[in-house]
Amino acid sequence: MTDRPLSGKIALVTGSNSGIGLGIARSLAARGAAVALNSFTDRKEDHDLAASLAAETGSDVRYIPADMSDGADCRRYVEKAAEAFGGVDILVNNAGIQHVSPIPDFPVAMWDRIIAINLNSAFHTTAIALPMMRAKGWGRIVNIASAHGLTASPFKSAYVAAKHGIVGLTKVTALEAAGQHITCNAICPGYVLTPLVEAQIPATMKEYGKDRETVIRDVMLARQPSKEFATVEQIGGTVAFLCSEDAAQVTGTTISVDGGWTAL
Ligand code: NAD
């Protein structure tokens, strides 16, 4: 087996200039895939990041901006990436945001934005990528859900709804692609210490009236029996497994990377 088993494959990773998405992009590029790095920001740093990932991994990594809160832009991202690289083999729907608030106070615009970025974007990208994968006779779609795609927590109504939704979308996509050498699965991480998690610590401290260390130990990792955050490298490695031939019959399911959270 080659140490670059994804050579020749083209991977699109939404929301990949930071956190888990960047970890996934790095994992796929290190295994030889060409990667379309994405965010909505379109700054010089984003293009520089793609160049440095290309230099680090020896793979073709390019930054393609698109706003995953906008359905038409999601669709354009897949079209532009396919045009730039010559098709799509792997689609990782990772872009996501969070907001923590009780339901009566939950800002309506924030509800809509979370559903748009965390759920609707995956529908739009999949709608464009699936026919391209069918044309090639091979494909892998990996949706980054969450332990919150399988369980709930208070104050995270939009996020939990979107993540349960993406688990459902994963199953439907897998059924529609079955028998075509195209799989679709969801990864359900527990807490991974990324900018998204870092940003919700102050709001959670406020909701629970506790200090940072107590919130991390007793609230965030309360349901993660390992008492350790998962890492972006572990999520990247799980995506790489799902892209391998060993995983050809793994489809329509969820893989938890949550330190035992959903076993409780
Ligand atoms: P992060 O904030 O570090 O990264 C989010 C990424 O999404 C960034 O690259 C950002 O640029 C991108 N993004 C945000 N809005 C966008 C938009 N409108 N258009 C395009 N890109 C956009 O967060 P993260 O923790 O790495 O989260 C990544 C995914 O993993 C999310 O779907 C999140 O729900 C999921 N997840 C995270 C954890 C965790 O503990 N960190 C746990 C379970 C699931």
Side-chain angles (χ1 to χ4, degrees):
M1 205 197 3
T2 160
D3 63 345
R4 292 176 70 82
L6 297 178
S7 287
K9 300 293 189 203
I10 297 155
L12 279 57
V13 186
T14 72
S16 47
N17 68 343
S18 155
I20 292 173
L22 180 56
I24 293 167
R26 177 172 276 117
S27 163
L28 297 178
R31 287 167 172 84
V35 176
L37 214 62
N38 159 262
S39 73
F40 65 98
T41 40
D42 201 9
R43 302 160 306 185
K44 183 179 178 299
E45 298 99 277
D46 298 316
H47 295 267
D48 290 349
L49 181 63
S52 74
L53 214 52
E56 176 190 321
T57 60
S59 291
D60 186 0
V61 182
R62 298 182 219 175
Y63 177 76
I64 301 185
D67 183 351
M68 292 295 132
S69 70
D70 175 339
D73 221 19
C74 295
R75 289 168 182 257
R76 270 194 299 272
Y77 165 63
V78 180
E79 281 159 359
K80 274 191 210 162
E83 201 180 303
F85 289 100
V88 177
D89 301 294
I90 296 165
L91 169 65
V92 184
N93 289 304
N94 167 78
I97 60 167
Q98 173 65 284
H99 184 79
V100 179
S101 169
I103 292 172
D105 306 328
F106 210 98
V108 173
M110 188 54 83
W111 170 278
D112 290 342
R113 193 165 169 76
I114 290 176
I115 300 295
I117 296 173
N118 296 19
L119 176 58
N120 296 351
S121 68
F123 159 70
H124 291 296
T125 56
T126 299
I128 302 301
L130 200 48
M132 294 178 178
M133 292 176 180
R134 286 189 175 124
K136 286 195 170 196
W138 192 93
R140 294 287 188 266
I141 300 173
V142 182
N143 293 324
I144 305 304
S146 166
H148 282 118
L150 304 170
T151 65
S153 295
F155 315 128
K156 296 186 176 176
S157 53
Y159 189 85
V160 170
K163 293 302 186 180
H164 276 68
I166 207 163
V167 169
L169 176 65
T170 299
K171 293 177 185 176
V172 175
T173 306
L175 293 179
E176 292 191 16
Q180 299 154 45
H181 309 291
I182 300 167
T183 69
C184 180
N185 294 286
I187 295 176
C188 295
Y191 274 105
V192 186
L193 195 56
T194 64
L196 179 141
V197 167
E198 193 58 54
Q200 60 188 281
I201 293 175
T204 313
M205 285 165 64
K206 199 170 148 206
E207 291 294 342
Y208 286 85
K210 293 180 177 171
D211 66 22
R212 181 186 165 86
E213 293 316 308
T214 310
V215 157
I216 289 176
R217 188 189 62 242
D218 294 349
V219 180
M220 293 184 150
L221 298 182
R223 294 163 75 181
Q224 204 147 312
S226 66
K227 297 294 170 199
E228 289 171 12
F229 285 109
T231 67
V232 300
E233 290 77 14
Q234 289 160 357
I235 308 299
T238 307
V239 173
F241 163 68
L242 287 171
C243 293
S244 72
E245 286 314 305
D246 286 341
Q249 290 302 316
V250 180
T251 194
T253 194
T254 58
I255 297 187
S256 292
V257 184
D258 66 2
W261 177 329
T262 44
L264 276 176

